[in-house]
């Protein structure tokens, strides 16, 4: 779209041109839809720009279509006809010839046409004055036979008024003779006809000496006018034929000489007007160059500066007298670029190869270099030869330095060991560096325009995301961790710093996320925490061991004495027969036994023995554990069923310690079923194939009272128990023994009632590869 300022500037140019030339009734610029954008009317020598509300659309006029169809540089010349305004012929009549050429933008797109309405009435008036002596029988006819000038005005411009009044309809035989030759004379029953032919198109081409492509709306062979003089038979005197025959050659020669003279004068005037127009254009062009905020320099074919504007002088620090008339190479070309610039200047000999855009460095007065991007336009003389070049240059020194810095920054981000993401205000990804693809598995093409939530694992809460957005939208930096999911489904940890990117006005336009894969760091941190826990547990066990040894040393012997005394008392008849005394003795024995069990569990937990591993069968281990736990089973009344999957492999482990594990679990299950109707315990032993290798899975299910969710994890902690009587070390000992075998245990709800203890034993733990190392580790833990 053309701005109001641009329309005003164009109108001013048109007005100046119309006033100085005085040849054009209208000068217009029409856009590609045929709408007048700017129109200046001659207005009797006082050019006036037509208001926007009075502009018209000329899309349906033949001259608009023909001018728009021209290629770049083409000029359309219309036939001579009458001007039409608002769809009606303008009065008084205005004969017009229109010159039109298309206008292109910098991208080569056709944006409209420039149209000039030449005063055709002046041509008609000149014709009429030249033929004043024979005005009653001289006619001007176009190639279609319509009168452009006729002694009888009602015959003129018939084709404009829809009249089929043509010369050939009145004098068909005469028209046939007139159109068959360029000029001549003949006599018919209608009188004597003298005629000649004018080709306005050819005359315009020869007068302009133009290389432009000119076309009319008709075929070029029909684009002519006929000047016809007709003398009726009544006007011919008896001696006229003899006079004409004797002097025909003389008059014809004079007529031809008159036409040639007229053409020469017209041609001279046209060239003079062209020269004036070229001079005016150059002056306006120089004025424009002087006032623009870009460097402007003109060189002749020898590379000598013929013009430079003030901007160029300020940029380089030179005075005008020190620049104009000087050789460009010696003054402004750096030594290392002199040959290159000289070769470019030499290309003016081959205009088709001369670069329209060229970048080079220019030396300033103080010796610094400025990088200039030149847009070059070659200048031609009247014969079409190159006489020089004008360059409009933009100083891109700072811009290029910024581009280099941006390129460095881009390369740094591209090669960064951290993931870099840039999103728009809505969080949609606009950029991701290669590290992102390396870490997540997604290519940039796959995530462009997507939201980073596609990598969510679901572990980050909505509250955390809300806090993130609140922080970054306020302009602050958010730091935190994400547990995300890769394209292949694998989870990984990222440490992220997210901040806002602002435009020069301070508005948030994008968000920047710099993230680091901390999965390995997390794993090592977990290992360290585990080691620390193991060290703390080891220190606790060491202290417990010292305490247990002291207690065992101080209490075992007294307890043994008390136990022995109570047993001996039971042999006395008076005690045995005394029911109350005997019941008290039994209670005392049970308490002594309970205290002994506590001392044994403490010693076992605080001083674990090294594994004595061998290849064993799981069924024998579980059967023996069931036998050991039989007393507990009988006390609870629980029914035990054991199911072994066929073809179970042997496993590498300590049979004694594993029997202790399973007997403890069976006893716990039996105790859990006390007071439950129909108590029973089911043991299923099966093979399990997993990612970490082959294992044996043992499930011990009971229908007891079950466990609360918060109790399941704490049961493996030392001294935690859900029963009134118990040391709280049984399951802790089980967990320690299974850890030694690199096995796992979990407590899960049993449907519809009870608890299920799941033990997973690897068939070949890592310790089997080097049993001595495992024993050494256990001994030092």
């Amino acid at each position: 779209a053309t701005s109001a300022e641009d329309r005003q500037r164009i109108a001013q140019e048109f007005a100046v041109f119309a006033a100085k030339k005085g040849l054009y009734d209208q000068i217009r610029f029409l856009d590609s839809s045929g709408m007048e954008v700017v129109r200046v009317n001659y207005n009797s020598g006082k050019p006036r720009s037509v208001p926007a509300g009075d502009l018209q659309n000329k899309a349906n006029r033949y001259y608009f279509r023909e001018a728009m169809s021209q290629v770049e540089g083409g000029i359309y010349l219309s036939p001579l006809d009458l001007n039409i305004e608002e769809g009606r012929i303008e009065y008084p009549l205005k004969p017009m010839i229109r010159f039109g050429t298309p206008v292109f933008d910098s991208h080569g797109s056709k944006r409209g046409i420039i149209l000039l309405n030449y005063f055709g009435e002046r041509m008609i008036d000149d014709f009429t004055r030249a033929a004043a002596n024979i005005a009653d029988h001289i006619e001007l006819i176009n190639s279609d036979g319509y009168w452009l000038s006729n002694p009888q005005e009602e015959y003129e411009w018939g084709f404009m008024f829809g009249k089929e009044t043509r010369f050939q309809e009145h004098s068909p035989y005469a028209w046939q003779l007139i159109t068959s030759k360029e000029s001549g004379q003949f006599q018919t029953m209608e009188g004597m006809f003298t005629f000649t032919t004018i080709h306005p198109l050819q005359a315009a081409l020869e007068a302009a000496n133009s290389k432009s492509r000119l076309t009319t709306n008709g075929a070029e062979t029909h684009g002519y006018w006929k000047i016809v003089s007709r003398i009726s038979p009544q006007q011919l005197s008896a001696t006229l034929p003899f006079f004409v025959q004797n002097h025909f050659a003389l008059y014809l020669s004079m007529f031809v000489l008159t036409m040639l003279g007229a053409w020469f004068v017209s041609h001279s005037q046209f060239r003079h007007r062209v020269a004036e127009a070229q001079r005016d254009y150059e002056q306006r062009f120089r004025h424009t160059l002087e006032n623009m905020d870009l460097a402007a320099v003109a060189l002749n074919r020898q590379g000598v500066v013929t013009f430079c504007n003030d901007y160029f002088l300020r940029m380089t620090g030179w005075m005008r007298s020190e620049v104009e008339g000087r050789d460009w190479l010696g003054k402004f070309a750096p030594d290392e670029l002199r040959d290159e610039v000289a070769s470019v200047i030499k290309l003016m000999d081959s205009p088709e190869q001369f670069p329209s855009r060229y970048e080079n460095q220019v030396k300033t007065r103080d010796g610094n270099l400025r990088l200039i991007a030149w847009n070059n336009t070659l200048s031609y003389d009247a014969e079409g030869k190159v006489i020089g070049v004008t360059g409009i240059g933009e100083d891109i020194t700072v811009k290029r330095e910024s581009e280099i810095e941006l390129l460095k920054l881009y390369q740094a981000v591209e090669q960064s060991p951290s993931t870099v993401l840039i999103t728009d205000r809505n969080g949609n990804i606009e950029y991701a560096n290669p590290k992102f693809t390396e870490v997540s598995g997604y290519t940039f093409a796959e995530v462009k325009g997507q939201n980073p939530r596609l990598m969510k694992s679901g572990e980050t809460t909505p509250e955390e995301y809300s806090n993130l957005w609140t922080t970054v939208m306020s302009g602050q930096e958010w730091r935190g961790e994400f547990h995300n999911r890769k394209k292949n489904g694998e989870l990984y940890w990222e440490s992220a710093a997210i901040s806002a990117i602002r435009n020069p006005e301070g508005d948030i336009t994008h968000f920047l996320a710099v993230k680091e894969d901390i999965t390995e760091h997390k794993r090592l941190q977990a290992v360290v925490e585990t080691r620390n826990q193991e060290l703390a547990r080891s220190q606790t066990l060491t202290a417990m061991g010292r305490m247990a040894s002291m207690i065992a040393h101080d209490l075992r012997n007294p307890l043994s004495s008390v136990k022995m005394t109570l047993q001996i008392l039971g042999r006395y008849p008076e005690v045995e027969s005394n029911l109350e005394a005997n019941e008290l003795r039994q209670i005392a024995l049970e308490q002594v036994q309970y205290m002994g069990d506590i001392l044994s569990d403490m010693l076992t937990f605080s001083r674990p023995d090294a594994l004595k591993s061998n290849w064993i069968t799981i069924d024998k281990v579980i059967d023996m554990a069931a036998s050991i736990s039989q007393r507990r089973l009988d006390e609870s009344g629980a029914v035990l069923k054991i199911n072994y999957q066929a073809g179970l492999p042997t496993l590498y482990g300590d049979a004694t310690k594993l029997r202790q594990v399973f007997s403890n679990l069976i006893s716990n299950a039996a105790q859990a079923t006390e007071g439950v109707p129909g108590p029973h315990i089911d043991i299923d032993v099966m093979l399990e194939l997993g990612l970490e290798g082959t294992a044996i899975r043992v499930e011990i299910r009971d229908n007891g009272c079950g466990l609360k969710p918060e109790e399941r994890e704490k049961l493996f902690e030392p001294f935690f128990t859900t029963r009134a009587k118990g040391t709280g070390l049984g399951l802790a000992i089980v967990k320690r023994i299974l850890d030694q075998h690199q096995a796992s245990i979990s407590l899960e709800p049993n449907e519809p009632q009870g608890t299920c203890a799941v033990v997973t034993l690897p068939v070949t733990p890592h310790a089997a590869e080097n049993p001595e190392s495992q024993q050494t580790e256990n001994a030092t833990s």
Side-chain angles (χ1 to χ4, degrees):
T2 306
S3 67
E5 183 179 354
D6 291 336
R7 291 194 296 270
Q8 183 178 2
R9 187 165 57 250
I10 294 171
Q12 290 175 349
E13 290 286 337
F14 285 359
V16 171
F17 184 78
K20 291 182 71 67
K21 299 304 175 185
L23 300 174
Y24 305 102
D25 179 58
Q26 294 179 359
I27 303 176
R28 291 177 282 177
F29 170 54
L30 290 76
D31 64 20
S32 57
S33 68
M35 187 66 196
E36 293 176 336
V37 179
V38 177
R39 185 176 83 196
V40 171
N41 293 336
Y42 182 64
N43 195 30
S44 301
K46 298 179 181 180
R48 182 181 64 88
S49 177
V50 176
D54 295 336
L55 297 177
Q56 304 173 38
N57 191 297
K58 301 292 184 179
N60 61 344
R61 298 291 285 146
Y62 70 91
Y63 54 77
F64 171 75
R65 296 191 297 270
E66 294 293 340
M68 276 295 291
S69 67
Q70 299 297 308
V71 298
E72 188 172 3
I75 300 175
Y76 167 69
L77 175 66
S78 78
L80 179 64
D81 61 10
L82 299 178
N83 191 47
I84 293 179
E85 291 294 337
E86 302 292 342
R88 295 186 297 273
I89 296 174
E90 185 178 4
Y91 285 88
L93 300 181
K94 283 187 178 182
M96 293 291 166
I97 296 178
R98 299 167 188 85
F99 295 83
T101 185
V103 177
F104 295 79
D105 62 18
S106 58
H107 302 290
S109 299
K110 192 177 294 185
R111 302 301 299 272
I113 64 169
I114 295 292
L115 197 67
L116 286 79
N117 285 17
Y118 178 78
F119 279 117
E121 185 177 6
R122 297 189 179 186
M123 298 174 54
I124 301 297
D125 291 342
D126 291 343
F127 171 79
T128 303
R129 285 193 296 270
N133 294 331
I134 54 174
D136 59 335
H137 58 265
I138 192 74
E139 305 167 26
L140 179 63
I141 310 166
N142 68 13
S143 56
D144 294 323
Y146 290 102
W147 281 282
L148 304 179
S149 178
N150 190 291
Q152 302 181 50
E153 293 183 359
E154 64 268 18
Y155 288 152
E156 294 177 350
W157 309 106
F159 63 95
M160 294 297 298
F161 295 95
K163 300 178 182 179
E164 285 299 320
T165 305
R166 295 192 287 179
F167 187 98
Q168 54 265 44
E169 293 175 5
H170 292 265
S171 307
Y173 177 71
W175 180 251
Q176 182 179 355
L177 294 175
I178 290 171
T179 55
S180 65
K181 295 181 181 179
E182 285 289 302
S183 62
Q185 188 179 60
F186 60 89
Q187 185 172 352
T188 67
M189 296 293 295
E190 296 175 299
M192 186 173 65
F193 295 84
T194 305
F195 66 92
T196 188
T197 305
I198 298 175
H199 294 275
L201 175 61
Q202 181 179 353
L205 286 170
E206 293 173 352
N209 193 22
S210 173
K211 295 184 178 181
S212 300
R213 295 174 289 276
L214 283 147
T215 61
T216 65
N217 69 324
E220 183 176 336
T221 55
H222 297 114
Y224 57 82
W225 300 333
K226 293 288 185 176
I227 300 176
V228 179
S229 172
R230 173 167 33 184
I231 302 176
S232 66
Q234 293 80 9
Q235 294 173 318
L236 293 174
S237 63
T239 59
L240 184 58
F242 300 100
F243 178 83
V244 171
Q245 290 178 7
N246 292 333
H247 300 281
F248 172 74
L250 174 63
Y251 278 95
L252 181 61
S253 299
M254 292 176 63
F255 182 77
V256 172
L257 288 174
T258 301
M259 292 299 298
L260 288 175
W263 176 85
F264 179 77
V265 171
S266 175
H267 175 64
S268 299
Q269 291 177 344
F270 180 81
R271 289 182 64 85
H272 178 69
R273 291 195 297 269
V274 169
E276 285 185 342
Q278 179 68 21
R279 184 168 59 253
D280 292 342
Y281 169 76
E282 289 178 355
Q283 290 176 352
R284 290 196 302 273
F285 184 61
R286 287 290 179 95
H287 179 74
T288 301
L289 294 182
E290 283 288 0
N291 292 280
M292 66 169 47
D293 288 333
L294 293 171
V297 176
L299 306 180
N300 62 17
R301 292 188 58 173
Q302 290 72 42
V304 175
V305 179
T306 58
F307 167 80
C308 66
N309 66 354
D310 292 339
Y311 183 94
F312 178 79
L313 295 174
R314 291 194 301 271
M315 182 183 71
T316 58
W318 295 99
M319 301 291 290
R320 187 176 300 276
S321 60
E322 298 173 311
V323 174
E324 293 183 350
R326 305 299 177 91
D327 180 61
W328 176 269
L329 293 177
K331 197 78 173 179
F332 299 105
D335 295 340
E336 62 274 13
L337 297 176
R338 188 165 297 178
D339 292 340
E340 176 188 331
V341 177
S343 63
V344 173
I345 293 175
K346 191 174 181 180
L347 285 176
M348 281 192 276
D349 296 332
S350 305
E352 65 280 356
Q353 299 179 17
F354 193 85
S356 60
R357 182 173 175 83
Y358 177 64
E359 293 182 7
N360 72 324
Q361 290 180 320
V362 174
K363 284 194 305 185
T364 63
R365 188 183 192 116
D366 55 13
N368 294 326
L369 298 178
R370 308 298 296 180
L371 183 62
I372 310 298
W374 298 100
N375 287 287
N376 300 318
T377 303
L378 292 174
S379 301
Y380 298 85
D381 61 12
E383 283 72 33
K385 295 181 180 179
V386 175
I387 58 175
V389 62
T390 300
I392 308 298
E394 178 186 4
D395 187 348
I396 60 172
T397 308
V398 176
K399 177 181 177 181
R400 187 54 51 83
E401 291 173 352
S402 299
E403 290 175 353
I404 293 173
E405 291 301 319
L406 285 174
L407 180 60
K408 289 180 185 177
L409 179 60
Y410 172 76
Q411 291 174 340
V413 172
E414 283 283 293
Q415 300 170 21
S416 172
S418 299
T419 296
V420 178
L421 283 179
I422 298 178
T423 71
D424 61 18
R425 278 182 57 90
N426 298 319
N428 299 318
I429 297 174
E430 291 189 358
Y431 171 80
N433 69 342
K435 188 65 177 181
F436 168 82
T437 300
E438 179 185 335
V439 172
S440 69
Y442 290 98
T443 65
F444 174 56
E446 292 174 317
V447 300
K448 185 177 181 181
Q450 301 287 328
N451 195 285
R453 69 170 66 96
L454 75 113
M455 295 174 287
K456 286 173 55 176
S457 65
E459 297 183 16
T460 305
T461 65
E463 291 75 16
E464 291 176 295
Y465 281 116
S466 176
N467 176 56
L468 185 159
W469 276 105
T470 301
T471 302
V472 297
M473 288 301 290
S474 66
Q476 301 178 12
E477 182 183 63
W478 180 90
R479 289 182 177 271
E481 295 179 355
F482 293 113
H483 202 191
N484 285 339
R485 191 178 301 277
K486 297 183 179 182
K487 183 179 179 180
N488 61 7
E490 180 183 348
L491 294 174
Y492 68 103
W493 283 96
E494 281 187 317
S495 172
I498 303 177
S499 56
I501 299 176
R502 299 177 182 271
N503 62 15
E505 289 73 33
D507 300 324
I508 295 176
T509 60
H510 295 79
F511 295 105
L512 170 68
V514 179
K515 302 190 287 186
E516 182 180 359
D517 185 355
I518 58 171
T519 307
E520 182 64 16
H521 174 73
K522 282 277 190 181
R523 187 190 69 80
L524 294 176
Q525 187 179 36
V527 170
V528 171
E529 290 178 358
T530 301
R531 295 296 186 190
N532 290 337
Q533 291 174 359
E534 291 177 352
L535 178 60
R537 188 180 300 113
S538 176
Q539 293 171 347
T540 301
L541 292 176
T542 300
M544 185 183 296
R546 288 196 295 268
M547 182 183 68
S549 297
M550 179 187 68
I551 293 174
H553 180 270
D554 292 341
L555 294 182
R556 266 191 169 179
N557 290 336
L559 285 175
S560 297
S561 299
V562 171
K563 181 179 181 180
M564 186 179 299
T565 300
L566 291 172
Q567 290 173 344
I568 293 173
L569 285 173
R571 297 174 185 174
Y572 289 97
E574 59 272 22
V575 174
E576 186 176 2
S577 60
N578 189 329
L579 294 178
E580 184 178 356
N582 195 41
E583 183 179 357
L584 291 173
R585 186 184 67 82
Q586 289 295 333
I587 292 174
L589 280 173
E590 289 178 2
Q591 294 300 319
V592 169
Q593 182 63 40
Y594 177 59
M595 293 178 67
D597 291 343
I598 291 176
L599 288 175
S600 298
D601 286 349
M602 289 178 65
L603 289 172
T604 301
F605 185 74
S606 63
R607 294 186 300 179
D609 297 330
L611 295 180
K612 297 179 181 179
S613 300
N614 288 295
W615 291 100
I616 58 177
T617 55
I618 191 64
D619 52 349
K620 291 182 179 180
V621 172
I622 295 177
D623 288 343
M624 182 61 69
S627 299
I628 295 172
S629 306
Q630 190 61 48
R631 184 174 65 85
R632 291 285 190 185
L633 292 170
D634 292 340
E635 290 175 354
S636 64
V639 178
L640 176 64
K641 293 182 180 180
I642 306 176
N643 299 312
Y644 296 104
Q645 182 181 342
L648 292 173
T650 58
L651 60 86
Y652 195 80
D654 188 323
T656 301
K657 288 185 175 293
L658 290 178
R659 279 197 298 271
Q660 183 179 357
V661 167
F662 291 112
S663 64
N664 192 309
L665 294 175
I666 293 171
S667 297
N668 285 347
Q671 291 178 9
T673 60
E674 290 178 356
V676 175
H680 62 84
I681 301 171
D682 297 319
I683 301 178
D684 290 320
V685 185
M686 64 198 77
L687 186 67
E688 184 177 88
L689 300 176
L691 295 175
E692 297 182 359
T694 305
I696 294 177
R697 180 184 176 92
V698 182
E699 296 181 356
I700 304 173
R701 296 188 298 277
D702 64 69
N703 64 339
C705 58
L707 296 170
K708 297 178 182 179
E710 61 271 15
E711 293 175 345
R712 294 193 192 111
E713 295 298 328
K714 293 183 178 181
L715 280 173
F716 295 105
E717 296 178 4
F719 305 110
F720 180 83
T721 180
T722 59
R723 296 192 297 271
K725 292 180 61 177
T727 63
L729 292 173
L731 287 178
I733 294 172
V734 167
K735 183 70 167 59
R736 173 172 287 279
I737 293 173
L738 291 177
D739 287 345
Q740 287 180 297
H741 285 81
Q742 300 175 27
S744 65
I745 182 171
S746 63
L747 299 176
E748 302 172 0
N750 182 43
E751 297 298 337
Q753 179 182 336
T755 303
C756 177
V758 180
V759 177
T760 304
L761 289 160
V763 172
T764 308
H766 297 300
E769 300 174 3
N770 187 3
E772 294 181 359
S773 65
Q774 179 65 34
Q775 293 174 5
T776 302
E777 181 181 348
N778 290 337
T780 57
S781 62

